[in-house]
């Protein structure tokens, strides 16, 4: 009997020890699982914080994925129409644009030089002194494109002068430009003025020689072609120069054979000729979207007629003027007997999105009269 009791007691102790061991194992397992979960939470939070810090370090322009238009301003010094453009850019609520300015060396855009925060610090590095009628204008364009191409979200590149104004609000302008993959490039055969210099042959053959406005809208592919070009540009630097201006002949000797000079204005030929040379004319809409009035009767000096476009002053700036530009729906190219009917998204549309040349008083008058339709809600 006693032996049976001892046996039962031993069994109970053994069972109790087993249960105790099982409980300890469960507790240890729970503790391990807790540590794993806690560690995982800490790791996830650490990775989240690291990712957050990384995203904060990346400039917002590289995070945003919306296709953007790069507005490339070529300015003498400051931007006299900055307030007009300030109202225009306020119309974009989705960060679909970027701004780059080429001005003479030493000019910086800050609170002291512009009244629009959109232009703060937007001057490009490595700017050069630009001379009208020289290849330096082309180089300024190439500098702007090099800087703008660094942002992979920039898909269109619009060249603007410091006297340009927008004719429509940002949304309309954006949709118009982005509605096609083509570049907008005024380009036509130059058969009358004999600006082509035969010395460019055979690098630039005469059949690729084109003329047009420098105020273009380029897609990214064509912008890259221009920046990478190391063949056509040197020819323009060497052989495309404007004719000596008559008013300066009193200070300098008259060219011995001035009649042989080719009056070549590089910025009116380079991009057009380069894209023709590269076989890319099928990828362009052959018209500009920037209106310029070439009134050949504006100058009393016969030698200067047609060399510079009309400049609109305060008295010229009326709603009727702007509407007359907006009403233009076709452009005729006399040398090619070609009429370009303007369209957007397959439908007839106004030809022009921008216009030049406007003085500051004229542009501000139009803004105050709400003639441009870009006025800020502020």
């Amino acid at each position: 009997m006693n032996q049976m009791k001892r046996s039962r007691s031993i069994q109970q102790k053994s069972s109790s020890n087993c249960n105790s061991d099982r409980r300890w194992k469960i507790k240890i397992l729970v503790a391990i699982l807790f540590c794993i979960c806690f560690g995982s939470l800490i790791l996830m939070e650490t990775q989240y914080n690291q990712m957050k810090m990384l995203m904060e370090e990346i400039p917002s322009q590289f995070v945003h994925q919306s296709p953007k238009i790069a507005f490339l301003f070529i300015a003498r010094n400051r931007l006299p129409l900055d307030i007009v453009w300030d109202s225009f850019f306020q119309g974009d609520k989705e960060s679909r644009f970027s701004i780059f300015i080429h001005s003479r060396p030493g000019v910086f855009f800050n609170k002291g030089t512009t009244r629009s925060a959109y232009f703060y610090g937007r001057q490009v590095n490595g700017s050069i002194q630009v001379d009208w009628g020289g290849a330096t204008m082309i180089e300024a364009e190439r500098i702007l494109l090099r800087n703008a191409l660094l942002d992979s979200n920039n898909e269109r590149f619009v060249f603007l002068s410091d006297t340009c104004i927008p004719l429509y609000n940002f949304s309309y302008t954006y949709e118009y430009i982005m509605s096609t993959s083509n570049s907008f490039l005024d380009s036509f055969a130059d058969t009358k003025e004999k600006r082509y210099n035969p010395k460019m042959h055979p690098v630039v053959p005469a059949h690729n020689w084109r003329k047009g406005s420098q105020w273009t809208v380029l897609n990214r592919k064509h912008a890259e072609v221009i920046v990478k070009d190391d063949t056509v540009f040197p020819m323009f630097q060497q052989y495309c120069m404007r004719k000596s201006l008559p008013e300066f002949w009193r200070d300098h000797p008259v060219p011995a054979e001035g009649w042989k000079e080719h009056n070549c204005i590089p910025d009116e030929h380079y991009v057009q000729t380069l894209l023709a040379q590269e076989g890319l004319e099928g990828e362009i809409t052959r018209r500009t979207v920037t209106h310029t009035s070439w009134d050949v009767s504006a100058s009393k000096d016969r030698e200067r007629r047609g060399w510079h476009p009309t400049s609109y002053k305060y008295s010229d700036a009326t709603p009727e003027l702007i509407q007359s530009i907006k009403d233009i729906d076709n452009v005729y190219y006399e040398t090619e007997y070609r009429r370009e009917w303007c369209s957007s998204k397959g439908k007839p549309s106004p030809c022009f999105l921008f216009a030049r040349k406007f003085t500051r008083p004229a542009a501000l008058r139009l803004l105050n009269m709400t003639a441009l339709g870009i006025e800020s809600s502020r």
Side-chain angles (χ1 to χ4, degrees):
M1 179 69 72
N2 290 334
Q3 187 175 358
M4 291 178 63
K5 288 181 178 180
R6 281 197 298 269
S7 178
R8 191 178 298 114
S9 175
I10 291 171
Q11 290 177 356
Q12 289 175 347
K13 287 180 179 181
S14 177
S15 177
S16 176
N17 288 337
C18 288
N19 290 335
S20 177
D21 290 343
R22 191 179 296 111
R23 284 195 296 270
W24 273 106
K25 289 180 180 178
I26 292 173
K27 289 180 179 179
I28 292 173
L29 180 61
V30 170
I32 292 173
L33 291 173
F34 176 79
C35 290
I36 292 174
C37 292
F38 185 71
S40 298
L41 288 172
I42 293 176
L43 180 62
M44 289 173 63
E45 184 176 3
T46 301
Q47 291 178 336
Y48 171 78
N49 290 333
Q50 290 177 343
M51 184 64 70
K52 184 178 179 181
M53 291 175 63
L54 181 63
M55 295 297 289
E56 289 175 350
E57 291 175 358
I58 299 176
S60 59
Q61 67 184 45
F62 295 106
V63 175
H64 203 286
Q65 296 302 309
S66 294
K68 294 195 296 186
I69 296 176
F71 291 86
L72 313 180
F73 289 88
I74 298 179
R76 298 175 186 86
N77 296 299
R78 301 180 183 181
L79 291 174
L81 310 186
D82 53 358
I83 292 301
V84 176
W85 286 101
D86 185 271
S87 295
F88 174 78
F89 289 126
Q90 284 184 45
D92 176 36
K93 307 302 181 184
E94 302 176 37
S95 301
R96 295 175 295 175
F97 71 90
S98 55
I99 297 172
F100 300 85
I101 309 170
H102 184 285
S103 189
R104 66 175 176 80
V107 173
F108 299 96
F109 289 83
N110 50 40
K111 290 182 179 180
T113 56
T114 178
R115 292 190 291 171
S116 173
Y118 289 114
F119 297 114
Y120 290 171
R122 300 316 305 161
Q123 70 279 350
V124 296
N125 295 324
S127 64
I128 60 173
Q129 184 64 45
V130 173
D131 298 315
W132 178 79
T136 51
M137 179 66 81
I138 301 175
E139 183 56 29
E141 294 177 353
R142 284 156 58 96
I143 290 171
L144 283 166
L145 288 174
R146 286 191 201 103
N147 282 268
L149 283 167
L150 294 176
D151 185 346
S152 60
N153 290 328
N154 286 332
E155 294 191 7
R156 300 291 185 278
F157 304 83
V158 181
F159 282 105
L160 299 162
S161 78
D162 53 8
T163 64
C164 276
I165 61 170
L167 297 175
Y168 298 92
N169 62 34
F170 182 89
S171 294
Y172 180 88
T173 303
Y174 182 90
E175 294 299 328
Y176 192 113
I177 291 174
M178 300 301 293
S179 66
T180 175
S181 60
N182 284 5
S183 295
F184 288 95
L185 185 70
D186 193 39
S187 178
F188 53 92
D190 179 30
T191 59
K192 285 191 173 183
E193 298 186 55
K194 298 182 180 179
R195 293 187 176 188
Y196 175 74
N197 190 333
K199 292 181 180 179
M200 288 185 170
H201 187 83
V203 177
V204 181
H207 66 264
N208 284 335
W209 186 250
R210 300 288 186 274
K211 183 183 178 183
S213 169
Q214 75 175 105
W215 311 112
T216 63
V217 178
L218 300 172
N219 62 29
R220 191 172 182 90
K221 175 183 176 180
H222 297 163
E224 290 173 344
V225 168
I226 293 168
V227 167
K228 294 175 182 177
D229 170 43
D230 59 3
T231 303
V232 175
F233 181 56
M235 291 292 100
F236 272 77
Q237 288 179 303
Q238 188 172 359
Y239 297 117
C240 182
M241 293 170 281
R242 64 170 169 79
K243 191 174 182 179
S244 302
L245 301 182
E247 60 263 42
F248 296 138
W249 287 357
R250 61 179 177 272
D251 301 319
H252 301 281
V254 177
E257 295 183 314
W259 60 275
K260 287 186 178 181
E261 287 188 301
H262 295 271
N263 188 32
C264 183
I265 311 300
D267 51 82
E268 294 181 357
H269 297 274
Y270 171 66
V271 175
Q272 290 82 355
T273 299
L274 174 62
L275 295 188
Q277 184 96 340
E278 295 293 325
L280 298 173
E281 287 190 299
E283 300 176 6
I284 66 175
T285 298
R286 296 176 64 191
R287 62 181 176 87
T288 180
V289 292
T290 298
H291 178 268
T292 304
S293 176
W294 292 91
D295 185 356
V296 296
S297 64
S299 175
K300 295 180 180 179
D301 187 345
R302 293 181 61 186
E303 294 288 346
R304 293 299 300 273
R305 288 181 184 178
W307 283 22
H308 295 285
T310 300
S311 182
Y312 296 108
K313 299 177 176 57
Y314 181 87
S315 59
D316 302 316
T318 63
E320 290 75 22
L321 169 66
I322 298 302
Q323 191 58 51
S324 69
I325 297 174
K326 289 182 175 182
D327 286 343
I328 298 173
D329 61 1
N330 72 90
V331 182
Y332 182 70
Y333 293 92
E334 184 178 353
T335 61
E336 297 179 337
Y337 306 102
R338 171 172 61 93
R339 186 174 298 279
E340 192 78 27
W341 290 94
C342 304
S343 63
S344 176
K345 298 180 181 179
K347 299 179 180 179
S349 70
C351 291
F352 302 110
L353 300 175
F354 313 101
R356 59 188 293 268
K357 304 169 59 174
F358 285 82
T359 62
R360 181 181 176 86
L364 292 180
R365 185 186 190 194
L366 291 170
L367 188 65
N368 291 333
M369 290 190 298
T370 66
L372 303 177
I374 63 169
E375 291 68 27
S376 168
S377 59
R378 293 191 305 181

